[in-house]
């Protein structure tokens, strides 16, 4: 699975140069289940959580300060989908 939608959306909404409203906007977008782009984003985020080693370009795009790709992805999932368990490798 590619992660192009994940990387592009995170680059816009999660990059340190993006304002706080950009992240809040992402939270609102994530709550729109009928949105095809966000459905793709969620699938790619779930895959990246299960296989973070397959998302090496994410750090270059987002520059997160969480300490690792896995920690960033977990925080992102928790913020966007708080009522859903995060996907894991064993769940796939």
């Amino acid at each position: 699975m590619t992660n192009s939608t994940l990387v592009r959306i995170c680059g816009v909404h999660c990059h340190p140069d993006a304002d706080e409203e950009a992240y809040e906007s992402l939270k609102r977008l994530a709550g729109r289940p009928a949105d095809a782009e966000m459905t793709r984003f969620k699938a790619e985020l779930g895959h990246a959580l299960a296989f973070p080693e397959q998302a090496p370009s994410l750090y270059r795009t987002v520059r997160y300060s969480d300490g690792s790709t896995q920690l960033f992805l977990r925080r992102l999932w928790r913020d966007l989908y708080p009522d859903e368990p995060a996907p894991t490798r064993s769940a796939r």
Side-chain angles (χ1 to χ4, degrees):
M1 171 179 275
T2 67
N3 59 10
S4 59
T5 302
L6 173 68
V7 171
R8 182 176 46 76
I9 289 176
C10 284
V12 170
H13 296 279
C14 304
H15 192 278
D17 291 341
D19 61 21
E20 188 173 315
E21 180 54 34
Y23 197 72
E24 293 303 315
S25 174
L26 178 57
K27 289 180 182 179
R28 287 190 298 277
L29 287 170
R32 295 172 30 190
D35 185 304
E37 183 177 49
M38 291 311 294
T39 299
R40 176 80 181 165
F41 170 84
K42 185 176 182 181
E44 289 180 16
L45 176 57
H47 183 81
L49 269 164
F51 302 94
E53 67 278 2
Q54 294 179 9
S57 63
L58 194 57
Y59 178 77
R60 288 189 302 273
T61 302
V62 180
R63 305 279 186 218
Y64 44 83
S65 61
D66 296 75
S68 73
T69 300
Q70 185 71 26
L71 291 174
F72 168 73
L73 294 169
R74 284 184 192 159
R75 175 177 57 87
L76 187 59
W77 184 275
R78 194 174 47 248
D79 288 351
L80 300 180
Y81 310 105
D83 297 330
E84 298 180 41
T88 62
R89 191 175 297 230
S90 61
R92 297 222 165 246

